[in-house]
Amino acid sequence: MMSIFVAVALVLTSAILSVAFPLATYTFTLAAFGLTHVLTELHYVDNRFRQRLGNNLCWRMSQLLILIIGLRSLQVLSLIPTWLSITLELSCVVALVILVIPVLAKKDWRLGIFGTILCLLLSFGIFSSATLTLLIFAILHNITPVGFIAERWRGKTRNYALLICVVVFILIPLLIISGLPNQVLSSFGLVAWEASLFPVGGLDNHLGVFVPPQLQNEAIAISLFSAAVFLQTMHYAVVIGVLPKWENHQKSQIKYHLFTWVVGFLSVILFVSFTREFIHTRAVYGIIAAVHAWVEIPILLLSLAIPENSQMSFQSISSQKLSN
């Protein structure tokens, strides 16, 4: 009962803060929990899916992720233009999906079609507006905890959890976008859009993280930004507060404790850097954040084909495909 109360309080508090103080909530949560959530999520993905991946597929995916790191690094150093970096990065994401299509098709032809359609949509997005496509995926990435929940649980437990996810990850953001929460809080004088806990510039300097340029001057822009900030906060909460509880640390408690100390140490360093130079630090943070965001797309697709209790790996299915 206490855990339910804490969860409800966290959701409501996050929603209120995201609407009342969107800039402060976005910048503080990113600085405080951004790196922690990235490393925690990568640790969970590695522990839960590595055995099912197989060495061959894991290596090929790693090559594409290393290429993405290189592209992001070149962009941060201003050695290549942003538009080119984004285009090439999204092309690598298409390649990541293409890698798993044979596995999906072998398991179920409908999954193969789904993967193919996703590739086509990504390709269309690259050619129409790569920047907008990247922004959309930055927002959609925040709902990946729903995928982890669906992959982890079964039966009534999963149905109940997914119902909660609908409320948290869909209904509440839509309510925020409607502008009603903003009107209510504004009537009590509780809204301060430009407020921040450390120097980050005005809200206009950050709207582009979640709001397309075409909408940044519209009345809905603040509500869209607030909704995305709330989603990001919920994403952090699930990744940091829930995923580690699903892992089995009994066999390697020392390694896990060492991991948590390293994560804490690095997160403190990055937090200090965020407070001193937010924009540049966010660009550097984006290099590792890109890895954890893009690797989850093929991973979650493959989890549809090979559930946890399956005796087969992704690699074995792929090998069967080739032998046939």
Side-chain angles (χ1 to χ4, degrees):
M1 181 63 70
M2 180 59 69
S3 60
I4 295 176
F5 175 79
V6 171
V8 171
L10 176 62
V11 171
L12 293 179
T13 302
S14 298
I16 292 172
L17 292 176
S18 297
V19 174
F21 312 106
L23 180 59
T25 304
Y26 163 66
T27 53
F28 176 77
T29 54
L30 178 62
F33 306 114
L35 185 61
T36 300
H37 113 271
V38 166
L39 297 178
T40 301
E41 203 161 340
L42 285 173
H43 188 270
Y44 175 81
V45 168
D46 180 67
N47 279 352
R48 184 154 183 85
F49 298 101
R50 175 176 285 274
Q51 274 192 319
R52 283 182 275 170
L53 274 177
N55 292 331
N56 185 37
L57 185 55
C58 186
W59 169 242
R60 286 184 289 169
M61 289 173 59
S62 297
Q63 288 176 308
L64 289 170
L65 292 173
I66 291 172
L67 182 55
I68 289 174
I69 291 174
L71 291 169
R72 283 280 178 126
S73 300
L74 291 174
Q75 179 186 336
V76 170
L77 295 172
S78 301
L79 296 178
I80 60 174
T82 300
W83 68 266
L84 178 59
S85 172
I86 292 175
T87 300
L88 294 176
E89 181 176 328
L90 289 175
S91 299
C92 290
V93 178
V94 173
L96 282 170
V97 178
I98 290 175
L99 277 180
V100 304
I101 287 179
V103 183
L104 297 175
K106 178 64 179 180
K107 181 67 177 181
D108 189 327
W109 63 270
R110 289 168 294 188
L111 292 177
I113 291 178
F114 178 73
T116 302
I117 292 175
L118 181 58
C119 276
L120 294 176
L121 289 175
L122 269 169
S123 300
F124 175 78
I126 292 172
F127 286 106
S128 59
S129 177
T131 302
L132 179 60
T133 302
L134 183 65
L135 184 149
I136 291 173
F137 269 92
I139 297 173
L140 292 179
H141 165 71
N142 289 317
I143 65 174
T144 52
V146 179
F148 289 133
I149 289 171
E151 188 275 335
R152 179 82 184 192
W153 290 340
R154 296 290 181 272
K156 292 183 178 180
T157 302
R158 177 166 65 178
N159 294 337
Y160 178 69
L162 291 180
L163 180 61
I164 295 175
C165 286
V166 169
V167 174
V168 173
F169 289 94
I170 297 179
L171 295 184
I172 293 180
L174 289 177
L175 178 62
I176 294 175
I177 291 173
S178 73
L180 181 60
N182 180 64
Q183 294 176 15
V184 173
L185 293 176
S186 295
S187 66
F188 291 99
L190 298 177
V191 174
W193 293 336
E194 300 287 343
S196 179
L197 298 177
F198 37 82
V200 295
L203 181 58
D204 290 342
N205 297 329
H206 302 275
L207 280 178
V209 175
F210 296 127
V211 182
Q214 303 90 328
L215 298 176
Q216 289 179 18
N217 294 322
E218 302 295 329
I220 198 175
I222 304 297
S223 296
L224 287 172
F225 185 82
S226 296
V229 171
F230 170 75
L231 279 175
Q232 178 173 279
T233 304
M234 290 298 95
H235 179 91
Y236 290 172
V238 174
V239 169
I240 298 173
V242 178
L243 295 192
K245 295 180 180 180
W246 290 350
E247 296 187 64
N248 183 7
H249 308 302
Q250 298 300 320
K251 296 181 179 180
S252 55
Q253 286 189 0
I254 296 178
K255 288 184 179 179
Y256 183 72
H257 287 313
L258 177 61
F259 169 76
T260 56
W261 276 102
V262 171
V263 169
F265 176 73
L266 294 177
S267 296
V268 169
I269 293 177
L270 200 69
F271 178 81
V272 173
S273 182
F274 267 117
T275 62
R276 294 176 176 273
E277 181 51 66
F278 187 88
I279 300 298
H280 291 160
T281 304
R282 183 174 62 186
V284 174
Y285 161 80
I287 296 174
I288 186 172
V291 174
H292 100 288
W294 295 135
V295 73
E296 289 167 0
I297 295 178
I299 288 292
L300 289 175
L301 284 173
L302 287 169
S303 69
L304 296 174
I306 309 297
E308 179 188 15
N309 57 0
S310 174
Q311 298 300 313
M312 303 182 71
S313 67
F314 301 138
Q315 185 175 355
S316 65
I317 286 189
S318 182
S319 299
Q320 284 185 13
K321 176 70 175 178
L322 294 174
S323 65
N324 290 341

